[in-house]
Amino acid sequence: MARIGIIGSAGRMGQALVEAVAAAGETHAGGVDKGDDVAALAKASDVLVDFSSPHALEANLDAAMAAGAGLVIGTTGLEERHHWLIDSAAEHIPVLQTGNTSLGVTLLAHLVREAAARLGEDWDIEISETHHRMKVDAPSGTALLLGQAAAEGRQVDLAGVSARGRDGITGARRAGDIGFAALRGGSVAGDHTVLFLGDDERLSLSHLAENRRIFAKGAIRAAQWLLGRPAGRYTMPQVLNL
């Protein structure tokens, strides 16, 4: 049985992760939140699952490296500096970082990449996402993950074609852009749609999250997969052998 520690255990996601550990037949090594001793938890764990905050990531990576524990990172809102830290840590321990741990979203990103690669640039790509009113970052990590998949399918840099926050007189849509729209309200766990809009036809690929349990289930599946892997940076598609 794998010993799985939860970073960010007090919130709704943390509670869902604890339940998912038990459902998977693994051992819950404990949980920590802001101000708790993450180093002690790392020493008691084979794999850590982190759904805390970007501000805590560096300390969490340091604790995992010191203990030789694997780390699954589901925290969103990461910046370039955070990815550099993850790359550095992955030289010493196995790390899996993703904007969404849902197995369905992982497959959706694969389908988006395939569609973008096969449809021409005369097909416009727009990504819409809806989340609960308490979400603090936009676009969501999942929307960015899907945008990255579309960009990879077209073999372009997402930063150069990303279109966000349209307002006022913006002019005609720039060819090749990947657009993002964020909606907030209610208690929505997470809805994402990728639209491919061509002349006289549209293709829509969607994923609707009905409960946070799907993210917890996928995160624990990733933790189980990561157990015993050599040092390196891994992704959710590898978990599904995509």
Side-chain angles (χ1 to χ4, degrees):
M1 295 174 66
R3 300 174 300 163
I4 301 176
I6 309 301
I7 303 174
S9 61
R12 289 175 293 180
M13 188 62 196
Q15 294 167 18
L17 286 164
V18 171
E19 294 174 1
V21 170
E26 306 294 1
T27 299
H28 177 220
V32 295
D33 290 282
K34 185 176 181 180
D36 293 336
D37 188 355
V38 66
L41 177 63
K43 291 177 182 177
S45 306
D46 299 311
V47 183
L48 295 166
V49 178
D50 182 8
F51 275 85
S52 56
S53 72
H55 302 294
L57 182 61
E58 185 169 5
N60 297 340
L61 287 167
D62 288 343
M65 284 190 288
L71 182 61
V72 175
I73 302 169
T75 303
T76 59
L78 302 183
E79 299 176 352
E80 184 176 352
R81 171 179 173 273
H82 298 117
H83 287 286
W84 180 87
L85 290 170
I86 294 170
D87 288 339
S88 180
E91 296 178 5
H92 307 280
I93 58 172
V95 182
L96 188 152
Q97 181 272 323
T98 179
N100 192 301
T101 54
S102 159
L103 301 180
V105 167
T106 300
L107 183 56
L108 173 61
H110 176 75
L111 297 174
V112 167
R113 186 179 296 106
E114 291 294 305
R118 285 160 174 72
L119 297 174
E121 283 199 8
D122 53 332
W123 287 70
D124 301 320
I125 301 176
E126 293 285 321
I127 300 170
S128 69
E129 52 104 341
T130 305
H131 281 86
H132 54 88
R133 63 173 67 93
M134 301 303 292
K135 187 167 179 61
V136 298
D137 58 306
S140 68
T142 302
L144 293 173
L145 181 153
L146 295 171
Q148 183 61 40
E152 290 172 359
R154 285 189 167 176
Q155 298 184 336
V156 296
D157 179 19
L158 179 60
V161 298
S162 179
R164 308 183 193 180
R166 299 185 181 110
D167 185 48
I169 301 175
T170 61
R173 190 185 196 282
R174 189 175 65 172
D177 271 358
I178 296 175
F180 292 87
L183 305 178
R184 297 289 179 265
S187 59
V188 182
D191 294 349
H192 294 83
T193 296
V194 181
L195 287 166
F196 291 86
L197 303 108
D199 292 336
D200 304 317
E201 58 180 330
R202 297 187 300 274
L203 172 65
S204 175
L205 300 174
S206 297
H207 178 271
L208 308 180
E210 298 179 356
N211 192 289
R212 288 177 180 80
R213 286 194 297 267
I214 65 169
F215 308 121
K217 182 179 179 180
I220 300 309
R221 171 85 171 267
Q224 291 174 309
W225 183 88
L226 202 62
L227 188 67
R229 300 277 173 183
R233 183 163 181 171
Y234 299 97
T235 64
M236 283 300 294
Q238 291 174 284
V239 176
L240 291 184
N241 196 31
L242 294 175

